[in-house]
Amino acid sequence: MHEMTKGSNVGLAALSDDAGSVLVSLSWSSAAGAGDADVSVLLLGGNGKVRSDADFFFYNNPASPDGSVQLLGKTPTGSGSEDRISLDLTAMPPEVDRAVLAASQYGDSRFGELDDLRLTLADRAGEALLGYTIAGATTESAFLFGELYRRGEEWKFRAIGQGYETGLAGLATDFGIDVDEGSEESGESDDLSAEGAAGEAVSAGKVPQAPAAAPGVALPAQVARATAPDGVAAARARRPRTAKKKVTLPKAEKKSLAENDSWQAARLFPAGSLKSDREREGRATSVLLSVMAEVPEFGRRLTAAFGAPAGRMQTFTEVALPHGDSPKRPDGVIRVERAGKLWTALVETKTNGNPLRSEQVQNYLDIAARRGYEAVITLSNDVALEGRPLVQVKTDGRRKHKVALWHLSWAEVTYQAQTLIRHEGVGNAAHAWLLQELLHYLQHENSGCHGFQNMGPAWVPVRNGIDTETLCRGDARAVEVVESWERLIRQVCLRLGGELGQKALPVQRGRRGTDPQDRRAVLADRLCDDGRLSAELRVDGAPGVLALTADLRTGKLRTSIDVPAPEGGYPLTSAKRLIRLLAKAPADLHVETLVEGNNGPRGTLERLRPEPADMLPKGGDLITGFRLSLFKGMGATRGSAASGFIRSVDEAVDQFYASVVAHLPAPERRPARASDGVG
């Protein structure tokens, strides 16, 4: 990989023969696990300014209609997070000279609080071509990482590393966009739903749906072109414009015409009659691929991260391809055409708990390499982990044509479908209905597409070893349990994020560069010592980080969140206000007062409701916040049945979020953040 220094540049053609579409990753880490930032892309003309508002891509405007730019969202890494951008340079409008790659923080946060600021650029096959590390960040709240620019027919990359102390506002102003940091509550929103609704209410017992931004909005209420007249800019600030109408599911389902609850609605993709794993795999593959081809937003969402261009998509199943003495039949084939060129991926699908087989995937990689295809995509209930491939395959380095191997979890497919039809919207009502039918199929108990659902064979021996105090450090089975726990937490984030319409990511503490397997070995030794599995989740809109601990010794699950105390308020007033906010919380919610350098009073909500003054520390110590915790029993079995550990974790997170977190005030609004501006 070519390492860049500040101010240096390099031609992409010199690094790869397949750089027409690239994947840019902006990454950072934080030892405390508390840092975060948002990426943005600006397309500039020859005058160094955006051509229009539509050339600014950020959280609330994540994709261009022509597919040249798509923000793919954050993914956790071993020590931080990584925000990815897909750029199809062959689809870039000819009047665009540069694509500027930036990231910004919000509120009082600064990039000096983050470590290992780095940009990595990979080609269509996923091979890293260049990297650029920014050192010495201090008080900057926005950074230009780099830019892709044209030189004749060639695209080149320049490492910039320019910081702004004025955040997104200062950065955007330089490129012809004015960010109004005034009132964030004055914006009005166009009706984003065919029914005038933003999404479907989550069924009883699920977490409540949080307000979500619509991706069609060109800019938030705070953002207007600097060149626009004052009156026009003010009008735009009052009413954000939408690129096009988007359709989401209505808030409430229409009243059923059935005589009684035993009548089952007719479904486009029935799942009840499936008998065998082979039937489930075939049906699931065909259902998914057909909807991907018919709903462009959905198909593009799933394939952009794999280097597929934006274009006409067709999908196929059970295609016979020559290989040795007998043909091989991958479960599916995806082909995308753009400008007369074809991008092709072979698909291998597994349902239920069936594992992917290395020999089978290796055959498809060999076939793809020989036929000039671009990728092989595996799809199963398992969740891929950093540094831990699901299948072991060999790559022939002598072949000039590279084939990328990618993995999708059924949980991620469900998340993308939920996000589109319940929060962001799709192009028309027919597409929304198709996604709704797909989602119903994926969530049917007989589909076999339920995501990670088994803690593995090491679960019971490890639990027994902890119970009898015979589990020793260095036990490989403890590492297996830690890996399963990490997969489960990633799936919990996908499910929670899909239902809320907010980004949910696991927090992984530690410095970048630590080998993921070494980090898991440390966590496994900790499990052997204290018998606990711990995780933290960051959800946009939540007032703090959600902490989850599974104590295998006591059989208890603890969900908790630390809520900061209001600045400048009277302690008793803060305590009473918190009690009012928790009016609908369970009586057995534990409340602990946090004070500087010490632990304060604690008690159950049932005891504290009549006497909020009992939350105040003796001696007048300064209150820094409150820790809210719920405890519930932990499932014993390794599977996802009603009595299983996985189901108990899901229920614990759902209950805590719905009964506690959802009623707490959101953190201070983030100035100039792209998700603001949609009411």
Side-chain angles (χ1 to χ4, degrees):
M1 181 168 62
H2 183 74
E3 285 295 329
M4 308 287 291
T5 58
K6 186 173 182 177
S8 63
N9 61 76
V10 65
L12 299 187
L15 303 178
S16 173
D17 296 330
D18 191 17
S21 178
V22 296
L23 185 68
V24 178
S25 300
L26 304 184
S27 58
W28 39 78
S29 67
S30 169
D36 198 8
D38 284 330
V39 300
S40 55
V41 178
L42 300 102
L43 302 185
L44 309 180
N47 63 351
K49 306 291 184 182
V50 295
R51 300 169 301 163
S52 72
D53 293 347
D55 282 343
F56 185 33
F57 300 94
F58 50 95
Y59 177 72
N60 198 38
N61 182 37
S64 61
D66 61 8
S68 59
V69 180
Q70 181 160 344
L71 309 189
L72 303 176
K74 293 182 176 67
T75 57
T77 62
S79 54
S81 63
E82 181 178 84
D83 222 339
R84 299 171 301 154
I85 306 163
S86 173
L87 294 167
D88 188 347
L89 301 178
T90 63
M92 201 68 70
E95 59 271 21
V96 171
D97 279 5
R98 291 190 284 159
V100 175
L101 311 169
S104 58
Q105 291 206 291
Y106 23 78
D108 296 329
S109 299
R110 295 293 180 262
F111 275 96
E113 301 166 3
L114 302 179
D115 300 319
D116 309 312
L117 299 177
R118 184 168 173 81
L119 177 147
T120 305
L121 185 144
D123 63 14
R124 190 192 301 269
E127 181 174 331
L129 303 181
L130 62 87
Y132 171 48
T133 298
I134 294 178
T138 55
T139 60
E140 300 86 354
S141 53
F143 254 106
L144 296 184
F145 278 68
E147 66 179 6
L148 290 160
Y149 63 98
R150 297 183 195 263
R151 278 296 178 266
E153 298 299 318
E154 182 185 9
W155 281 93
K156 304 183 75 173
F157 174 82
R158 177 182 292 114
I160 299 178
Q162 177 183 347
Y164 292 77
E165 293 188 11
T166 50
L168 181 63
L171 184 154
T173 300
D174 273 5
F175 299 108
I177 297 173
D178 178 42
V179 179
D180 179 8
E181 295 187 282
S183 171
E184 298 177 6
E185 304 297 335
S186 60
E188 299 177 8
S189 172
D190 286 348
D191 180 15
L192 300 180
S193 167
E195 300 286 338
E200 181 184 39
V202 180
S203 59
K206 294 295 185 180
V207 293
Q209 178 179 314
V217 176
L219 286 176
Q222 291 75 24
V223 180
R225 288 294 310 280
T227 55
D230 292 342
V232 175
R236 288 175 176 171
R238 289 194 301 270
R239 185 177 181 83
R241 296 170 294 112
T242 55
K244 62 178 180 179
K245 289 284 185 180
K246 290 287 185 176
V247 178
T248 56
L249 293 179
K251 284 186 176 180
E253 294 184 1
K254 295 180 179 179
K255 183 179 178 180
S256 174
L257 301 180
E259 287 185 3
N260 55 63
D261 293 340
S262 66
W263 286 21
Q264 298 295 318
R267 290 292 176 184
L268 181 64
F269 310 122
S273 61
L274 298 174
K275 302 296 183 183
S276 67
D277 285 342
R278 182 175 179 81
E279 284 183 297
R280 290 185 181 91
E281 289 176 8
R283 176 72 61 85
T285 305
S286 184
V287 167
L288 174 62
L289 295 186
S290 64
V291 175
M292 286 174 61
E294 293 301 322
V295 184
E297 297 97 331
F298 182 61
R300 177 65 180 154
R301 184 69 62 89
L302 291 182
T303 59
F306 303 152
R312 184 172 67 98
M313 180 182 293
Q314 285 190 355
T315 53
F316 309 87
T317 60
E318 297 294 336
V319 175
L321 297 173
H323 186 67
D325 297 333
S326 60
K328 302 297 180 183
R329 294 180 180 272
D331 292 315
V333 178
I334 302 172
R335 305 205 86 177
V336 182
E337 180 191 34
R338 181 172 184 86
K341 297 181 180 179
L342 284 174
W343 180 92
T344 306
L346 305 181
V347 180
E348 173 60 13
T349 303
K350 296 295 180 184
T351 55
N352 279 339
N354 296 321
L356 295 160
R357 292 188 290 137
S358 297
E359 180 183 1
Q360 199 171 30
V361 175
Q362 184 72 64
N363 287 336
Y364 296 147
L365 283 170
D366 293 341
I367 292 172
R370 192 168 60 249
R371 300 180 71 86
Y373 297 161
E374 282 73 20
V376 172
I377 301 171
T378 58
L379 180 60
S380 73
N381 281 324
D382 213 341
V383 178
L385 299 179
E386 183 185 18
R388 188 74 163 84
L390 291 175
V391 290
Q392 298 291 337
V393 294
K394 296 179 180 179
T395 303
D396 189 346
R398 296 170 297 177
R399 283 192 171 122
K400 183 178 180 181
H401 182 77
K402 296 174 291 185
V403 178
L405 177 61
W406 305 97
H407 179 73
L408 265 178
S409 166
W410 284 111
E412 186 172 354
V413 175
T414 299
Y415 163 77
Q416 297 292 3
Q418 281 182 312
T419 300
L420 282 171
I421 63 175
R422 291 182 176 169
H423 308 291
E424 295 183 1
V426 291
N428 59 57
H431 290 170
W433 178 75
L434 276 174
L435 281 177
Q436 183 180 20
E437 290 297 298
L438 170 66
L439 190 59
H440 181 272
Y441 177 86
L442 295 176
Q443 295 176 333
H444 192 283
E445 61 183 8
N446 200 32
S447 70
C449 304
H450 303 132
F452 180 76
Q453 54 185 345
N454 196 308
M455 291 296 290
W459 174 251
V460 172
V462 166
R463 285 204 63 180
N464 291 338
I466 290 173
D467 187 51
T468 59
E469 299 186 10
T470 58
L471 189 66
C472 301
R473 282 180 164 232
D475 194 316
R477 295 173 300 180
V479 176
E480 292 180 31
V481 169
V482 166
E483 290 177 346
S484 295
W485 172 250
E486 187 176 335
R487 290 187 171 98
L488 174 57
I489 294 303
R490 292 193 179 212
Q491 179 164 291
V492 167
C493 288
L494 287 171
R495 185 180 55 78
L496 193 64
E499 291 172 349
L500 293 172
Q502 301 283 5
K503 288 179 287 186
L505 289 172
V507 177
Q508 294 182 344
R509 302 183 186 274
R511 294 194 62 84
R512 190 175 301 278
T514 302
D515 182 84
Q517 288 301 97
D518 291 343
R519 175 177 57 82
R520 292 176 190 126
V522 171
L523 296 176
D525 286 344
R526 193 177 302 166
L527 171 63
C528 296
D529 291 340
D530 60 22
R532 294 190 183 98
L533 293 165
S534 299
E536 292 179 309
L537 287 64
R538 180 178 291 109
V539 182
D540 272 10
V545 172
L546 276 68
L548 178 63
T549 300
D551 193 327
L552 277 63
R553 286 179 175 168
T554 63
K556 294 288 186 180
L557 285 168
R558 172 178 176 160
T559 46
S560 63
I561 188 170
D562 288 359
V563 182
E567 294 184 6
Y570 291 105
L572 183 57
T573 302
S574 299
K576 289 181 176 179
R577 179 173 181 267
L578 180 63
I579 294 297
R580 288 197 301 271
L581 291 171
L582 298 173
K584 297 183 179 180
D588 60 348
L589 178 72
H590 285 237
V591 181
E592 178 183 354
T593 304
L594 305 177
V595 298
E596 286 187 338
N598 202 351
N599 292 331
R602 65 183 70 184
T604 63
L605 193 57
E606 182 179 32
R607 184 179 69 80
L608 295 172
R609 273 173 174 153
E611 295 293 342
D614 288 350
M615 299 168 60
L616 305 184
K618 306 302 180 184
D621 291 338
L622 179 65
I623 297 176
T624 60
F626 302 94
R627 178 166 297 153
L628 311 177
S629 305
L630 267 183
F631 296 85
K632 73 182 301 289
M634 187 177 75
T637 60
R638 70 184 189 181
S640 58
S643 61
F645 175 72
I646 293 174
R647 181 76 63 87
S648 67
V649 171
D650 285 339
E651 291 174 351
V653 173
D654 282 354
Q655 181 190 10
F656 186 67
Y657 203 99
S659 63
V660 179
V661 180
H663 302 287
L664 299 174
E668 183 181 352
R669 296 289 300 265
R670 296 164 175 174
R673 191 174 183 205
S675 59
D676 299 331
V678 175

